[in-house]
Amino acid sequence: MSEAKKAVEKHANGKPVTGTEDEGPMSGYSSGFFSDSSSSSMERSPRNLAGMNRAEPFALDPLPVEPRSPNADTDWIKEVQGSNAFIEGLSQNKGGVLSNEPADCVEFQKGAIVNEKDIEENMLAGKIVVIRSVNKAAIGLVLPDVTLDNVAKLFKGSDGEYKVRNSKTGQFAHMTIPKMIEYMKENEKCIENDNVNIMNLLSFECTKITRVSSTIKLPPFVQNLSMIKQLKAAINERFGTLKTGSFATSDATPREREWLKKLQNHIPSYENFYIISMKGAFTDLHVDFGGTFVYYFVHDGKKVFYVAPPTAENIEAYRQLEITGKSMWTDNPKMLKNFRKIELNPGDLAFIPTQWLHFVYTPCNSLVYGGNFLTESKLNEHYKMMEIEEECLKNKSGKSEEMFKNFWDMQFAYLKLVYLNGAISMRKANVLLLGPYQSVGHQFLTTLIEKIHEPTINGLFSADDKTELLNMLERVLSKKKFDIVSLNKENDFYKLDCFKKKPFKSEFTPKLVGKHTSSNPVEALSIKRKAEMKSKSEIPSTKKPFKE
């Protein structure tokens, strides 16, 4: 029965309204029944219409209804990412756009015995590791006890303004941590209001706030894997050698100290992030800069990750989206089915390996500790992601501040102070570099040779310096007898005592190209070297990634 008919019958004391066949639909009605200056018709007392006769039941024509879009349940993916409509669709997974299946990861339940070696092996094998209600002490993780209620107090005195992203608009504002917490708590219950911004603090790296970072300790296996951690340790060790070693009185010592200090000042820190997110915050599809590994501990609140493995198909699809500045949601929605869900609650710890694609939703106000690191065993993956990021930068679809800072200079610094130091010690002991150690060296050689003439930060490395490092690297990787000559102290270029100024010469040692001899200054440096190495099957293919 139509609503109109129900209404009329109600006012007719429940009796059907009838009339003659010849009467029009409004015949016999007092116009005052439908219009009254004092009240609406539905508010007036009922009238007795029993004397009105109709052959057919009375009904009003239905109001026109706009046809429902066949894609109404999935239209939310076309909204601006982070908008109220988008977040509502995402949180409810309207239309089943996303898979509700849990991600395929290695998961340790609460109370399980967690072996550090197992975590490391699974992570290096490319598997996400999740530890529920982690026993931090058991794996060597030390963190301050913080919640959303006391985090502002923890950072009191260092509460400068930080870059905070508005998830609704993508714009940035600057807020202190106390102001951020206050805003979150005041507006948590009314985020649907268009005037309420959803703030997300992603850029708060607190390594330089020593009273906080000094209370943090990463698991030993993370410290051992992290190239940046190893580089910092090597610098400190070298400083100690310069104070007490045989070079303490060398004329080169002051210059080397100056160079080491300069290097220290340009090492980026990505080890101690605090992420403070308001309910409804959303971080769109990304791979962490430089393809870094991620560790992620939830102090307070909850996080929902959607992750997709770094298959060749997924990485290429991601590359195409990134370099064109397009959105997965509107331009490649089929890709959404590749993602699986991981929910993290207070006390949960997750390790995400290199290159995993992910986006993140925050269902309630949350506080997270995390960090990023590079590892030499995954150089190829890191270099692939850097290639994508640099391509985006050239196409103006990426920003330099979203990339790993001073990445290539850090690669040369690590090669010099960490890798070569250990490799030369092995060769001096007549040990050939085999297996993974050799693979890492060849990856350095074949990639960094292309970076010899690229700009460097604050004069850390000249083209000559880079070439000399690669000459030495080539020598330690060769199968020829290794013989270290005495260091020429007078011409020393602030180097470790295992380096010599005169570079090693071999049949395919790179030669520096004059400024006017080629439009591509690295061409003469690489073609013959790569041809020789390939012919001897000493290294894997050097085909550039994603250039099929």
Side-chain angles (χ1 to χ4, degrees):
M1 182 183 292
S2 70
E3 293 298 320
K5 185 173 181 180
K6 289 179 182 178
V8 172
E9 287 187 353
K10 178 180 177 182
H11 286 276
N13 293 320
K15 297 179 181 180
V17 180
T18 59
T20 64
E21 283 185 332
D22 297 332
E23 289 177 321
M26 302 295 289
S27 177
Y29 282 71
S30 165
S31 62
F33 183 81
F34 289 99
S35 62
D36 190 289
S37 59
S38 61
S39 64
S40 71
S41 61
M42 293 302 175
E43 293 172 341
R44 296 189 60 186
S45 59
R47 295 172 182 256
N48 187 352
L49 304 178
M52 301 176 63
N53 297 316
R54 288 181 60 89
E56 298 290 338
F58 172 79
L60 294 176
D61 292 335
L63 294 174
V65 178
E66 293 185 5
R68 188 173 186 270
S69 168
N71 300 318
D73 289 337
T74 60
D75 282 347
W76 61 270
I77 68 175
K78 299 177 183 178
E79 300 287 343
V80 175
Q81 279 69 61
S83 66
N84 288 337
F86 178 86
I87 293 301
E88 180 185 0
L90 175 66
S91 61
Q92 300 174 19
N93 191 16
K94 288 185 176 180
V97 172
L98 301 167
S99 171
N100 283 319
E101 294 181 25
D104 183 17
C105 58
V106 178
E107 187 168 335
F108 296 90
Q109 297 301 324
K110 181 179 180 181
I113 297 176
V114 183
N115 186 301
E116 285 185 63
K117 185 177 180 181
D118 290 339
I119 300 174
E120 179 179 345
E121 288 180 352
N122 280 300
M123 194 167 53
L124 293 179
K127 299 177 182 178
I128 294 176
V129 177
V130 177
I131 309 171
R132 303 293 182 186
S133 299
V134 63
N135 181 344
K136 297 191 291 293
I139 64 170
L141 175 63
V142 179
L143 294 172
D145 293 325
V146 291
T147 65
L148 286 167
D149 292 327
N150 65 13
V151 67
K153 183 178 180 181
L154 175 68
F155 293 104
K156 187 177 181 180
S158 57
D159 53 344
E161 290 191 335
Y162 298 94
K163 196 174 182 180
V164 183
R165 186 179 186 273
N166 181 352
S167 285
K168 284 187 177 180
T169 65
Q171 302 297 314
F172 289 91
H174 289 83
M175 303 174 72
T176 64
I177 291 179
K179 185 67 177 177
M180 169 89 176
I181 299 296
E182 179 184 356
Y183 185 85
M184 289 168 61
K185 292 181 177 180
E186 287 179 352
N187 295 283
E188 181 179 12
K189 295 182 179 180
C190 54
I191 61 171
E192 296 83 4
N193 187 328
D194 288 336
N195 294 324
V196 173
N197 297 317
I198 300 180
M199 309 309 290
N200 201 7
L201 175 57
L202 301 169
S203 58
F204 180 33
E205 214 288 340
C206 65
T207 296
K208 294 183 179 180
I209 305 175
T210 54
R211 61 186 182 81
V212 176
S213 60
S214 62
T215 66
I216 297 172
K217 184 179 179 181
L218 297 177
F221 76 91
V222 172
Q223 297 188 57
N224 293 334
L225 289 174
S226 170
M227 294 176 71
I228 294 298
K229 278 284 190 182
Q230 293 301 302
L231 179 57
K232 289 179 177 179
I235 292 172
N236 291 333
E237 182 180 350
R238 182 58 183 166
F239 270 128
T241 301
L242 292 175
K243 288 180 180 179
T244 60
S246 59
F247 286 90
T249 59
S250 168
D251 292 339
T253 297
R255 289 177 291 161
E256 184 172 353
R257 284 178 180 163
E258 181 182 351
W259 183 85
L260 290 170
K261 288 179 180 178
K262 186 191 299 185
L263 175 60
Q264 276 185 324
N265 291 335
H266 290 92
I267 296 179
S269 292
Y270 301 120
E271 302 157 6
N272 300 310
F273 273 103
Y274 276 92
I275 301 171
I276 305 175
S277 306
M278 189 171 171
K279 176 183 177 181
F282 172 73
T283 305
D284 205 355
L285 173 67
H286 65 285
V287 172
D288 279 54
F289 46 75
T292 46
F293 285 70
V294 181
Y295 45 90
Y296 203 87
F297 175 79
V298 180
H299 278 288
D300 204 348
K302 184 175 182 177
K303 288 283 183 175
V304 179
F305 276 71
Y306 289 91
V307 299
T311 62
E313 180 183 5
N314 284 342
I315 292 295
E316 178 58 23
Y318 174 74
R319 172 184 171 273
Q320 289 296 332
L321 290 171
E322 288 292 291
I323 64 175
T324 57
K326 293 182 178 179
S327 166
M328 170 181 64
W329 304 89
T330 55
D331 297 294
N332 191 0
K334 292 181 180 179
M335 190 176 174
L336 291 167
K337 289 299 183 181
N338 296 333
F339 288 81
R340 297 293 182 267
K341 190 176 183 179
I342 300 177
E343 294 187 2
L344 298 177
N345 297 297
D348 291 348
L349 173 65
F351 292 95
I352 303 177
T354 177
Q355 289 189 310
W356 274 76
L357 286 66
H358 56 281
F359 54 93
V360 188
Y361 167 63
T362 307
C364 58
N365 288 350
S366 298
L367 172 66
V368 169
Y369 168 79
N372 299 72
F373 65 95
L374 303 167
T375 179
E376 67 173 33
S377 64
K378 297 296 179 181
L379 283 180
N380 187 52
E381 287 81 353
H382 298 320
Y383 292 167
K384 284 180 181 178
M385 295 316 301
M386 281 304 300
E387 183 182 76
I388 293 176
E389 292 172 17
E390 289 172 342
E391 194 172 1
C392 290
L393 193 62
K394 291 177 182 178
N395 292 347
K396 299 183 179 179
S397 59
K399 298 178 181 178
S400 59
E401 59 266 27
E402 296 173 351
M403 300 171 64
F404 196 107
K405 190 177 180 181
N406 305 332
F407 181 84
W408 295 113
D409 281 331
M410 294 307 106
Q411 296 300 299
F412 278 103
Y414 184 89
L415 171 62
K416 171 181 175 177
L417 297 177
V418 182
Y419 182 86
L420 276 176
N421 192 28
I424 289 174
S425 297
M426 293 172 67
R427 290 307 310 273
K428 288 171 70 175
N430 294 320
V431 176
L432 289 176
L433 306 184
L434 302 173
Y437 210 95
Q438 185 187 49
S439 298
V440 168
H442 282 308
Q443 186 65 60
F444 275 129
L445 191 63
T446 57
T447 302
L448 296 186
I449 198 170
E450 306 290 344
K451 307 296 178 182
I452 286 178
H453 288 272
E454 289 198 357
T456 187
I457 186 71
N458 201 16
L460 277 175
F461 296 99
S462 67
D464 287 337
D465 305 329
K466 295 175 183 179
T467 301
E468 189 170 332
L469 286 171
L470 295 182
N471 282 332
M472 180 60 73
L473 175 60
E474 181 185 66
R475 183 173 186 178
V476 300
L477 291 174
S478 72
K479 297 179 180 179
K480 296 180 179 181
K481 184 178 180 180
F482 192 77
D483 182 25
I484 291 287
V485 298
S486 300
L487 180 69
N488 185 336
K489 297 181 182 180
E490 183 176 302
N491 294 320
D492 176 44
F493 180 75
Y494 336 130
K495 289 183 170 57
L496 295 177
D497 52 5
C498 58
F499 291 128
K500 60 183 183 302
K501 182 62 180 176
K502 185 178 179 181
F504 167 70
K505 297 295 182 182
S506 76
E507 59 181 343
F508 47 89
T509 295
K511 308 292 183 181
L512 281 177
V513 180
K515 293 183 179 180
H516 304 291
T517 59
S518 172
S519 59
N520 180 1
V522 300
E523 184 176 0
L525 294 170
S526 59
I527 293 177
K528 188 175 180 181
R529 175 192 291 271
K530 290 181 179 180
E532 291 281 354
M533 287 183 170
K534 283 183 179 180
S535 67
K536 296 181 180 181
S537 300
E538 291 182 0
I539 62 170
S541 171
T542 57
K543 183 178 180 180
K544 298 280 277 184
F546 313 127
K547 295 295 185 183
E548 297 178 0

